Structure formats: C-alpha cells, structure tokens
Amino acid sequence: MEQKKIMVIEDEKPIADILKYGFEKEGFEVTCAYTGGSGLEMAEDYAPDMVLLDWMLPDIAGVDVCRMLTERYNLPIIMLTARSNVEDKLYGLESGADDYITKPFDLREVVARVRTILRRFERVQGIRKEEPAAEGLTVSEQERMVCRNGEAVELTPKEYDLLLHFLKHPRQVFTRVILLEQIWGYDYAGDTRTVDIHIQRLRRKTGLGDKLVTVFGVGYKYVP
C-alpha cells in the first residue's frame, strides 16, 4: 500500500512533533511547516495527501492558508484550533476545511479522522467515469472535476463528496445528521449548520440552486 503523506502546518513545535511522531508510528510520511508561508511553499513539491492546519499562525491566518490551498490543490484539510466557539469553527469550514479538531486533542482521534477522510477521498477518486450530472454540469469522477458549461468549478473535497452523494441518490431525502455521518464520517461532532453552509456554497458554485431542495423540517434532496 502506498504510504500516505501528511503535511502539518503548526507553529508550536511540540504539537507539530507530537503529530509527526504519532502519524509516522501509524505508517504515514510526515513533514512539518511552522508558518503559513512555508507551508504554502512546501505543498507544491511535497504534494501531501492531507494537511493538518493550525488556525493561529504567526504570519498568515490559518483560514487564509486553507483558502489558498483549496484554490490550488484538490486535497482534504483538517483545521486544528483552540477556539471552541461554534461560529469560529463554521468560519473555518467555510474557508474550505473538511473537518476541525479542537485543542487539546487526543492523537488517536486525529489519526481516526484522517484515516476516515482519506478512505472516502480515495473511494470516490477511484471511480472512473465521466457523465452529465445536470443541465450544463459535468462530473469527472476519475479526476474529481466538476465543470459548469465547460468551465471548471472549484470545489473543496467535502463539497465535491456532498455533490456526488446527491447526484447518485436523486430525489432521496437526507437529514442533516445523516449527511454528517455519511459525508464527514462516523459520529461527527460538528454543528448541523455545517451542512447548510456546504449546501449554500454548492448551490452558488454549481448553479443547482433550484435542484438542491430544502425539505422543510427534515433536510435536503436533489431533484433532477
């Protein structure tokens, strides 16, 4: 099995060292950056499969680093934050993060979340086909690429997974809790508003505003 590469962007060296040690012990390859700028520079050459990103960095805010990474690369990102305020965490998810973990954390939980996200990412990426998804929208599952009227649509990994889930289950209603379990994995501790934020972004980016339907008091469904 190919060794997965983790990039840790964390300015507190003791925390970065703990993550590096723990993930290397689990069979991952790990590199560390201690500023947002160095992380952005290293990402191109290192080509990580996953990024663990600290919210508070000395040079560039973690949410801004997250936004820049998701604009350039198709890879999952977990935010590490000492902030417990739900609004702050949702802001991190809005910037393109796939998940967040609050400090102090249990290393076993971090490893479990990384494995879960990577498995889902690989499973979707491994499907090889390209077909129209809706009027003007095309999905290439081999490349994890979505095009709208011939123009590439920049989606975060979680936005892509959520879109594909709806497209493969037309007219089926999903509650927010079910979507959190199926897209984010296991018993996700995030506020269900995370789903609402991702749906809003998908509607705007894909033009499926009238097809990603809100089922009042229940959740969402995709109507072709």
Side-chain angles (χ1 to χ4, degrees):
M1 181 180 296
E2 181 183 357
Q3 189 178 35
K4 294 299 179 184
K5 298 162 69 175
I6 305 293
M7 171 175 278
V8 176
I9 306 178
E10 165 65 67
D11 66 317
E12 295 186 53
K13 193 172 186 301
I15 295 178
D17 289 345
I18 289 171
L19 290 166
K20 180 176 173 63
Y21 171 79
F23 275 94
E24 287 181 342
K25 189 176 179 181
E26 293 293 326
F28 292 87
E29 179 183 331
V30 185
T31 192
C32 296
Y34 304 104
T35 65
S38 61
L40 290 169
E41 290 178 4
M42 292 167 61
E44 183 172 358
D45 292 332
Y46 188 65
D49 297 293
M50 165 77 74
V51 173
L52 299 177
L53 174 62
D54 183 28
W55 182 296
M56 300 292 289
L57 294 168
D59 56 340
I60 308 173
V63 289
D64 292 330
V65 174
C66 181
R67 192 173 294 110
M68 287 184 273
L69 285 172
T70 55
E71 286 174 353
R72 300 176 189 178
Y73 312 107
N74 181 30
L75 80 169
I77 298 172
I78 294 180
M79 296 287 295
L80 304 174
T81 174
R83 299 170 182 254
S84 58
N85 185 289
V86 171
E87 295 303 323
D88 286 335
K89 294 174 181 177
L90 291 177
Y91 178 55
L93 292 169
E94 284 184 308
S95 72
D98 296 274
D99 201 350
Y100 62 79
I101 294 176
T102 304
K103 298 177 181 178
F105 51 76
D106 186 316
L107 184 58
R108 294 170 298 178
E109 179 187 3
V110 182
V111 172
R113 292 204 192 189
V114 166
R115 289 193 186 281
T116 298
I117 291 174
L118 284 176
R119 279 197 301 268
R120 184 174 295 106
F121 192 83
E122 291 170 359
R123 185 166 62 245
V124 175
Q125 197 171 36
I127 302 174
R128 301 179 180 276
K129 63 179 180 180
E130 182 172 343
E131 58 184 33
E135 185 176 353
L137 201 67
T138 301
V139 176
S140 171
E141 296 187 51
Q142 180 179 6
E143 299 177 343
R144 287 181 64 91
M145 179 179 291
V146 176
C147 291
R148 180 183 178 186
N149 298 323
E151 296 290 330
V153 179
E154 296 296 331
L155 299 179
T156 68
K158 275 292 179 289
E159 290 169 356
Y160 176 86
D161 291 345
L162 187 62
L163 173 63
L164 200 62
H165 186 76
F166 277 116
L167 295 177
K168 289 187 174 183
H169 301 89
R171 297 185 175 84
Q172 184 173 341
V173 179
F174 295 96
T175 67
R176 293 170 176 81
V177 172
I178 290 297
L179 289 172
L180 284 171
E181 291 176 354
Q182 295 183 348
I183 303 302
W184 278 260
Y186 50 90
D187 294 328
Y188 183 75
D191 191 289
T192 54
R193 283 178 292 175
T194 299
V195 175
D196 299 332
I197 289 171
H198 280 72
I199 293 291
Q200 291 169 13
R201 294 201 313 234
L202 278 180
R203 285 170 171 164
R204 183 180 69 253
K205 291 181 178 182
T206 64
L208 295 178
D210 59 341
K211 297 182 182 296
L212 290 176
V213 178
T214 301
V215 181
F216 184 73
V218 182
Y220 297 96
K221 67 178 177 180
Y222 166 64
V223 180

